Amino acid sequence: MAFDKKKLYALLLNCITTVCGIDAAKKFDTRLRFKRKLNLKHPQTLSDKVTWLQLHDLPDLAVKCTDKYDVRKYIREKGLEDILVPLVAGPFTDQSQIKMDDYPQKFVVKGTHGCKMNLIVNDKSILDMEACKRTFQSWLNTTYGTYSVEPHYTKVPHRLIVEDYLESKDGLIDYKFHCLNGKPEFVLVVKDRVSVDKRNMICKLGLYDMEWKKMDGLVPFKDEVPFDENIDKPKSFDKMVKIAKLLSSDFKFVRVDLYDIDGDVRFGELTFSPACGVFPNFSEDFNMKMGKRLNV
């Protein structure tokens, strides 16, 4: 969906919200884009309950922790500063403040206020600088959440940060701990990411419980597909579980994203409405099973 179309779609959703309420707008968006129904009057599934929470019962702390810069303070307050990815520069409110020449050969630029606002630079010598500037400015001009009915994102300041580039000899794998009632219940493993274009990425997914036993419950969605093989438990898994429990203790639901970098844990982000709160990669059975575990 091009940026101008996103603006038009956001306007449509805003009109539905004004006339029929935010629940109706969210249900419309979910049905149109994900082909999934939501029950927000009597939430049952994980999708229902996470969506209801982010629309009606999300604390101010969650908004601060949605911000990819402000969350760093929360991590430090939890005594976990050592898991933060080092900050190279920022935050910035204008793309002109980003000085590529001052940064290492490899780094990552992130928008702090939305999703899919990441520029992974593994060789800055081949960058198209003018294209980068346009991309950064488009991020800053985008109010994420208006076209996905995720209102907490609209409260986050529009900023850019530059972080260290993460590398692992086994390849970078994302461990997404889904925490219900302040307790990690399962981890979504994301690996083999390959960029298709500026907006889309192919990746493979796996589900594991807290004993590192593979779980059923994934279905393909767009370019995200389950992997068949069983992968080794990461060296720092037990530590990651403890970290996820600590970072989720203040919330009814949150996804804690972590990395294992050759045995060391690094923090990714906290997310309160993963995949717009709809979880299109989860089967209906798994969606219901996990929904029964979440108290709202």
Side-chain angles (χ1 to χ4, degrees):
M1 194 183 292
F3 182 59
D4 57 344
K5 292 182 180 179
K6 285 183 178 180
K7 281 186 174 180
L8 291 173
Y9 189 61
L11 181 61
L12 171 62
L13 292 174
N14 185 61
C15 289
I16 296 174
T17 299
T18 301
V19 175
C20 303
I22 197 167
D23 284 10
K26 185 64 178 181
K27 289 165 70 175
F28 171 84
D29 176 62
T30 300
R31 186 71 169 173
L32 179 66
R33 293 199 295 132
F34 300 102
K35 314 304 181 198
R36 177 163 272 179
K37 293 182 179 180
L38 290 174
N39 181 352
L40 299 180
K41 286 187 177 180
H42 304 287
Q44 301 295 320
T45 66
L46 188 64
S47 301
D48 296 340
K49 291 184 177 182
V50 169
T51 297
W52 187 89
L53 285 172
Q54 66 111 354
L55 294 180
H56 301 293
D57 193 25
L58 206 62
D60 291 340
L61 179 60
V63 176
K64 288 187 177 295
C65 289
T66 296
D67 187 318
K68 291 178 175 62
Y69 179 72
D70 283 350
V71 71
R72 298 173 70 89
K73 180 180 178 182
Y74 180 74
I75 301 300
R76 287 193 293 269
E77 289 173 347
K78 291 292 185 180
L80 295 171
E81 185 169 6
D82 62 313
I83 71 170
L84 288 172
V85 178
L87 191 68
V88 174
F92 302 125
T93 56
D94 191 284
Q95 60 84 18
S96 64
Q97 296 172 293
I98 293 183
K99 307 297 182 184
M100 299 287 203
D101 290 341
D102 296 340
Y103 308 150
Q105 196 68 12
K106 299 181 179 183
F107 55 87
V108 177
V109 182
K110 294 181 178 180
T112 66
H113 56 291
C115 295
K116 296 183 179 179
M117 295 181 181
N118 303 299
L119 177 67
I120 300 172
V121 179
N122 53 32
D123 183 358
K124 72 176 181 181
S125 67
I126 62 174
L127 281 180
D128 182 335
M129 297 298 184
E130 292 304 314
C132 288
K133 290 178 182 179
R134 291 192 295 270
T135 296
F136 299 153
Q137 196 58 53
S138 72
W139 292 349
L140 290 169
N141 292 341
T142 299
T143 302
Y144 187 84
T146 57
Y147 50 86
S148 57
V149 198
E150 295 174 274
H152 54 294
Y153 277 103
T154 67
K155 302 173 185 177
V156 178
H158 295 202
R159 297 181 290 188
L160 304 171
I161 58 173
V162 184
E163 289 184 345
D164 268 1
Y165 180 93
L166 292 181
E167 289 184 280
S168 174
K169 63 184 179 183
D170 297 322
L172 198 62
I173 297 177
D174 207 345
Y175 300 94
K176 299 177 179 293
F177 289 83
H178 291 64
C179 304
L180 287 57
N181 317 305
K183 176 185 175 184
E185 289 285 353
F186 64 93
V187 57
L188 176 67
V189 178
V190 183
K191 70 186 192 78
D192 298 339
R193 282 192 172 101
V194 178
S195 293
V196 178
D197 52 41
K198 290 182 179 180
R199 294 184 180 87
N200 298 297
M201 182 174 289
I202 297 172
C203 62
K204 295 181 180 179
L205 310 176
L207 277 178
Y208 288 83
D209 65 16
M210 292 301 99
E211 302 299 323
W212 200 252
K213 294 178 181 177
K214 201 150 187 257
M215 306 173 72
D216 294 325
L218 288 174
V219 293
F221 181 75
K222 295 185 177 179
D223 291 323
E224 300 174 345
V225 297
F227 58 76
D228 294 326
E229 70 274 19
N230 199 359
I231 63 174
D232 292 337
K233 182 169 73 171
K235 298 175 183 177
S236 63
F237 182 73
D238 292 341
K239 183 178 180 180
M240 285 196 286
V241 172
K242 291 178 182 177
I243 289 171
K245 186 173 183 179
L246 180 60
L247 293 179
S248 65
S249 60
D250 296 314
F251 309 107
K252 293 180 180 178
F253 173 85
V254 66
R255 193 190 75 195
V256 181
D257 292 4
L258 301 171
Y259 301 97
D260 179 295
I261 306 299
D262 303 326
D264 292 327
V265 180
R266 290 294 179 267
F267 173 74
E269 64 178 328
L270 298 183
T271 307
F272 299 89
S273 54
C276 300
V278 178
F279 304 107
N281 290 110
F282 296 166
S283 68
E284 293 293 349
D285 287 345
F286 188 80
N287 198 18
M288 180 62 75
K289 177 181 177 180
M290 291 300 157
K292 290 178 179 179
R293 299 186 186 184
L294 178 57
N295 302 322
V296 299

